[in-house]
Amino acid sequence: MIALPPNTELTADAEATARAAAEHLLAIAESAPGERVAICLSGGSTPKRLYALLASPGFVERVPWARIHWFFGDDRVVTWDDPLSNVRMVREAFGHAAPVPATHLHFIPSDEGVEAGARAYERTLQAFYGGERLDPDRPLFDLVLLGLGSDGHTASLFPGKPALAERSAWVAPVPEAGMEPFVPRITLTFPALASSRSVLFLVNGAGKRDALRRLAAGEDLPARHVESAGRLTWYIDREAAEA
Ligand SMILES: O=C1O[C@H](COP(=O)(O)O)[C@@H](O)[C@H](O)[C@H]1O
C-alpha cells in the first residue's frame, strides 16, 4: 500500500468512492450554515458516477436541490456540447432526474474565451459571495470536489504553469494545459479552492498510483498545495492505493 495522505478514507472501489462522497456531500448540505449551499464540482471522468448517483433513486429525494448552487473548479475552453466539456459531463450525469434550477448551475463561460471567461467567472463568484476579498471566517464554498490527475494536477492547476502562483485572483486562465486534453482551460486558483468548509479529493484506479506515490515522496505537485478552511478529505479506492 502506498503511504496515503492524511485524512484518507480508503474505499473498496470506484462505486464505493462515489457513495461515500455522496453521503459526505449530503452531510455538508445538511450542516450548511446558510440558506444557500455552494458546491464546487470537479470535472474529468472520476466524479461522473457521483453526479449520476445524486440524481438516482435513493439519493435524489435526499438532495436539497432548491438550496444548492453548483459551481465548477475548472473547465475546458470548448463549446458546451463538446465531449471534453466538464459542464456537459455534469449535465449528462444529472440528466433530467436532478431538479437543478437553471439559475443554480453556474458554469464557466468558456464561450467568452480563456482570458475574458476567467474574468467573467471571477465576477460571478464575487457576486454570489457578496465581496471581492475572501474572508477566512466566511468561506466561499461549503464543499469543493477535486480530482487528481496522473501528473499530480488538480482542477486545471498543472505542474509548472503560471496559475499555480496566483494568490489574489480567484480564477485564472490556462492557455496551455499540462496534459490531455490539450485545450485551453479556466481554473479556480488555490485561494478560491481553499475557501471552503470542506474539500474532497476523489481518486480511483491504477492510473493514479504514480501521482499518489510522488505525493507520498514529497514531490512538489499542485495537489499538495490544496488547503481547506475546514476539513480536507481524500477518498481513494484500493486499486489506486496499491503499491
Ligand atoms: O482535466 C481534468 O482532470 C482532473 C482529473 O480528472 P480525473 O477524471 O482523472 O479525476 C479533473 O479533476 C478536472 O476537473 C479536469 O478538468
Side-chain angles (χ1 to χ4, degrees), residues 60-170:
V60 71
E61 311 85 10
R62 299 170 57 196
V63 177
W65 298 100
R67 295 178 55 218
I68 297 177
H69 286 255
W70 307 93
F71 297 88
F72 288 78
D74 75 302
D75 210 343
R76 293 80 179 270
V77 181
V78 294
T79 57
W80 291 321
D81 59 355
D82 188 308
L84 295 178
S85 165
N86 286 339
V87 70
R88 170 175 161 166
M89 181 273 285
V90 170
R91 279 178 159 157
E92 285 181 348
F94 278 167
H96 298 295
V100 180
T103 56
H104 286 207
L105 189 64
H106 306 276
F107 44 79
I108 294 173
S110 54
D111 57 330
E112 297 187 25
V114 65
E115 299 284 348
R119 289 196 300 275
Y121 203 55
E122 184 167 84
R123 290 194 296 272
T124 295
L125 292 171
Q126 292 176 345
F128 180 83
Y129 185 68
E132 297 181 3
R133 293 181 62 82
L134 291 169
D135 177 350
D137 298 324
R138 185 171 70 90
L140 167 60
F141 298 117
D142 295 284
L143 175 64
V144 167
L145 297 171
L146 292 171
L148 176 69
S150 56
D151 63 344
H153 83 267
T154 192
S156 281
L157 294 163
F158 294 99
K161 298 295 184 182
L164 297 178
E166 182 55 63
R167 290 294 177 204
S168 56
W170 300 13

